[in-house]
Amino acid sequence: MLVFLPVFLLIFAAILIQVIGRIQKMVGRTWLVAAVISVLAWLSMILIGILKPEPVIIDNWMPEPFRFAYLEIQFTDTTWVFGFLLMTLLVAVVFYEAKFLEYSNYINKISGSMLAVAFGLVSILSRSFLMFALSWTIIDLVEFGILVVVIKRPENHQSAVTSVIFRSLGILFLIVLMASESNNASSLIDSGSLLSDSGLLFLTAFFRIGIIPIYLPYGESAGIQRGFVTILRFIPLLSTFAFIMLNGDLGLTVSASGFVRLLLLAGLIYTAIKWFVTKNE
């Protein structure tokens, strides 16, 4: 169960920070706890990368003949990099948050960051469709709850709702794909259908990556945007990369892959231009 060590550490830290912060009301001590445990979790990721623990598999999750009747959790060589990047980002954000200890909702912000990263790691650990569906659902619920608690401005909650709704479409496409792969049930999607298996994989990744809608600000404060909101934006991205690694090229044809690369290139150019001409970084 070594793969779960950073997850357990972050969940424990989120709970401990809430307790210490509300009982002792000493922001300096609260930040110190967050810094120490986040560094320990980061070191545990290095340990996982060295030892490469065996996968954790839970069989008989659902009755036969479903092919997705198991949960599999493991860091591969590639997905470990995604998890390590996410943990490194958390450590950077925790140390950056030292500038904003006077923020009125500081405890919720830093504990929410740790809780979001914990479930983000669970998603990156996923090695089966069912595990991705469960972890993505938890991520969306946790993200919306954190945003409501941390950003107490109803006008910004609509941004969170819109983002979560679009990403939830990816979960729906994944559920349809899992249902179509039943061994004895007639396939819901035949090879000639517009929504082939490869099409469903692509749509799942497209909606889960978090690029639609293009940009919705969650707040105006630099302490919000550069802090835990950065984490919330990276979690869908990295977890979707882990999903793509599980499924290779998403089953796309050569021509379709070229079209997707063209879209990505156009998106990169658009983003670079928008960043260059903006008046507010």
Side-chain angles (χ1 to χ4, degrees):
M1 301 297 284
L2 178 61
V3 292
F4 286 114
L5 181 57
V7 176
F8 290 150
L9 283 174
L10 293 179
I11 294 176
F12 171 74
I15 297 173
L16 186 61
I17 288 170
Q18 286 287 334
V19 173
I20 293 178
R22 297 183 185 282
I23 293 178
Q24 297 189 354
K25 300 185 183 301
M26 299 176 63
V27 293
R29 184 170 298 178
T30 302
W31 178 86
L32 182 61
V33 170
V36 170
I37 298 184
S38 63
V39 170
L40 289 177
W42 181 78
L43 292 174
S44 71
M45 283 296 300
I46 297 178
L47 182 63
I48 290 173
I50 295 174
L51 298 180
K52 300 184 184 333
E54 293 296 319
V56 177
I57 300 177
I58 303 175
D59 291 318
N60 302 318
W61 180 264
M62 296 188 70
E64 293 294 341
F66 297 104
R67 291 171 56 189
F68 54 90
Y70 68 97
L71 299 175
E72 183 175 354
I73 300 169
Q74 183 189 22
F75 277 121
T76 64
D77 290 341
T78 304
T79 57
W80 176 86
V81 175
F82 299 150
F84 184 73
L85 288 174
L86 185 57
M87 277 304 313
T88 304
L89 176 61
L90 175 64
V91 173
V93 167
V94 169
F95 279 88
Y96 172 76
E97 292 288 355
K99 296 171 55 179
F100 302 96
L101 295 182
E102 74 282 358
Y103 185 73
S104 60
N105 213 8
Y106 169 76
I107 296 173
N108 291 332
K109 188 170 63 167
I110 196 167
S111 61
S113 298
M114 292 189 160
L115 198 61
V117 170
F119 290 110
L121 287 176
V122 173
S123 180
I124 294 173
L125 276 166
S126 301
R127 297 292 296 164
S128 64
F129 282 170
L130 182 59
M131 193 65 212
F132 272 110
L134 292 174
S135 60
W136 282 345
T137 301
I138 295 174
I139 285 174
D140 289 346
L141 293 174
V142 169
E143 175 181 327
F144 180 72
I146 290 172
L147 287 170
V148 170
V149 171
V150 174
I151 304 176
K152 297 182 177 180
R153 298 180 62 183
E155 59 270 24
N156 293 120
H157 295 168
Q158 184 179 356
S159 300
V161 171
T162 304
S163 179
V164 169
I165 287 176
F166 272 94
R167 292 210 309 268
S168 297
L169 293 176
I171 300 176
L172 292 178
F173 283 119
L174 182 58
I175 292 174
V176 173
L177 177 61
M178 290 191 296
S180 73
E181 293 193 338
S182 171
N183 283 340
N184 73 341
S186 60
S187 178
L188 298 178
I189 305 163
D190 54 53
S191 58
S193 173
L194 176 64
L195 289 180
S196 61
D197 285 358
S198 60
L200 286 171
L201 284 171
F202 173 75
L203 289 173
T204 299
F206 176 76
F207 282 105
R208 283 306 310 179
I209 206 167
I211 60 174
I212 300 295
I214 292 178
Y215 178 75
L216 291 173
Y218 291 151
E220 290 73 30
S221 170
I224 292 289
Q225 291 293 350
R226 297 180 182 178
F228 88 107
V229 170
T230 302
I231 291 177
L232 295 184
R233 295 195 186 281
F234 265 89
I235 288 174
L237 183 71
L238 294 175
S239 67
T240 304
F241 283 169
F243 177 78
I244 294 174
M245 292 299 103
L246 175 64
N247 299 283
D249 58 359
L250 299 180
L252 297 176
T253 62
V254 175
S255 58
S257 297
F259 177 69
V260 171
R261 290 189 179 93
L262 181 62
L263 286 179
L264 292 174
L265 179 61
L268 288 172
I269 294 174
Y270 170 80
T271 305
I273 293 174
K274 290 288 287 184
W275 180 85
F276 182 76
V277 300
T278 188
K279 296 180 180 179
N280 188 327
E281 64 179 4

